Amino acid sequence: MHKGLEESAVTEARQLAANADRVIVKAGTNSLTDEDSNLDDEKLNKLVDDIEDLLERDKEVILVSSGAIGAGTGRIEQANETVEESQALSTVGQSHLMHRYTESFGRYDRKVAQLLLTQHDLENPERFTNFRNTVETLLDWGVVPIINENDAVATEEIRIGDNDMLSAAATMGVDANLLVTLTDVGGVYTGNPKHDPDADRIEAVGTNYDTVQEIISESTSDGFGGIQTKVEGARDVSEHGVPAFIAKSTEPDILEKIATAKPVGTIFVPINGVSDD
Ligand code: GLU
């Protein structure tokens, strides 16, 4: 369903997304870990396989990966109750995560790089320019940049807070022309699909944004890292003239489907249905 939105604008946005040559892919903790908070090799390899599909299409891909705190929790049996504990767990999980990405991309003979950012880095023009330059250099070298928040030094006041905002900022900051947020839910629904079998997927969001917001606030109570922040991140990007998707991490060949303009997940149509450039 995408009531109120013209079919042609949605088709055009899907095509724009398919043609994107610089793509930010955001993967959440649930898309990388199992129910015991261990890194799930199958899930991680699937994500890397999907990204490889885009790389083989000669697209540049930047991965924003969560999972540091989650993977750390599964790796060492320590409490995750205080800020200090989750900061410390993130450092255990982050190195484990990068080890696994190095191995998984290695199956395709690809190299990866780790970039850890804080809110300060996004706000300070000089630091942000340095970040951009590093990303450009890595992409020139054919290395896959993998970004996460630097949780070890990010206390409450200076936290970006969630990678949905980080990936939206990165998309705009490095002039990517597509953002794909992968989740275990798979899009924006009229209810919570985990509990409500009648919940319908909203195929596209654009001029119907206010209606969609109302539906979400009525149907979800999740705050941090939930569908709300994913929608806000995707909306910010689409207001910047760039299409964004919220799509299901477990769906087979999900990134290939987006690269071939298939109707998957929820697409956020660039505000005028066209790109800025
Ligand atoms: N930076 C956090 C982590 O890697 C995740 C934040 C989020 O889930 O958005 O564990």
Side-chain angles (χ1 to χ4, degrees):
M1 106 170 207
H2 43 270
K3 263 210 334 251
L5 258 184
E6 277 186 34
E7 191 66 45
S8 61
V10 178
T11 309
E12 194 182 338
R14 285 201 184 108
Q15 199 51 55
L16 202 60
N19 295 344
D21 55 7
R22 181 171 287 185
V23 184
I24 304 267
V25 176
K26 187 257 169 181
T29 303
N30 288 343
S31 307
L32 293 163
T33 55
D34 64 20
E35 60 278 8
D36 298 320
S37 212
N38 293 308
L39 265 190
D40 184 320
D41 283 342
E42 248 176 67
K43 287 184 181 175
L44 189 139
N45 285 341
K46 193 246 179 227
L47 169 67
V48 171
D49 294 344
D50 287 339
I51 291 174
E52 177 62 21
D53 191 279
L54 298 186
L55 294 169
E56 280 173 16
R57 288 168 193 270
D58 277 336
K59 296 176 188 291
E60 294 172 330
V61 181
I62 297 155
L63 173 61
V64 176
S65 176
S66 303
I69 298 171
T73 307
R75 191 119 173 102
I76 54 170
E77 286 173 19
Q78 295 292 341
N80 179 11
E81 280 152 21
T82 64
V83 175
E84 289 78 6
E85 283 163 352
S86 63
Q87 288 175 324
L89 284 168
S90 78
T91 64
V92 174
Q94 181 66 27
S95 60
H96 186 41
L97 195 56
M98 288 311 297
H99 172 67
R100 282 295 299 119
Y101 278 128
T102 302
E103 282 181 345
S104 191
F105 277 100
R107 295 175 300 144
Y108 297 107
D109 209 16
R110 303 233 184 236
K111 308 285 192 297
V112 299
Q114 167 184 273
L115 294 99
L116 298 179
L117 296 181
T118 64
Q119 183 72 37
H120 286 328
D121 304 319
L122 300 183
E123 285 167 357
N124 178 309
E126 197 181 328
R127 292 171 79 112
F128 200 73
T129 302
N130 293 338
F131 160 70
R132 280 178 67 121
N133 292 344
T134 304
V135 168
E136 293 292 345
T137 306
L138 290 166
L139 292 172
D140 278 352
W141 288 344
V143 173
V144 182
I146 303 180
I147 303 174
N148 196 358
E149 181 162 10
N150 192 349
D151 296 307
V153 299
T155 51
E156 273 326 305
E157 306 76 55
I158 59 155
R159 286 194 81 193
I160 302 164
D162 65 70
N163 282 352
D164 298 316
M165 287 301 125
L166 177 57
S167 45
T171 304
M172 297 181 271
V174 304
D175 297 326
N177 34 33
L178 173 63
L179 166 67
V180 181
T181 298
L182 295 174
T183 78
D184 56 342
V185 180
V188 185
Y189 284 79
T190 55
N192 186 338
K194 284 182 180 166
H195 312 299
D196 175 5
D198 294 331
D200 283 325
R201 178 165 53 90
I202 298 169
E203 283 184 37
V205 177
T207 47
N208 56 348
Y209 183 66
D210 291 343
T211 317
V212 170
Q213 269 298 351
E214 270 169 43
I215 294 172
I216 296 169
S217 52
E218 277 163 26
S219 65
T220 57
S221 53
D222 59 0
F224 178 84
I227 194 68
Q228 186 70 48
T229 56
K230 290 172 182 51
V231 167
E232 278 168 31
R235 177 67 176 182
D236 285 354
V237 165
S238 66
E239 282 179 341
H240 203 72
V242 170
F245 273 89
I246 299 176
K248 201 172 181 66
S249 54
T250 52
E251 182 165 338
D253 303 317
I254 183 65
L255 296 179
E256 183 192 5
K257 286 176 183 160
I258 290 172
T260 50
K262 302 282 186 316
V264 292
T266 299
I267 185 169
F268 286 70
V269 176
I271 270 337
N272 301 313
V274 290
S275 161
D276 272 342
D277 50 27

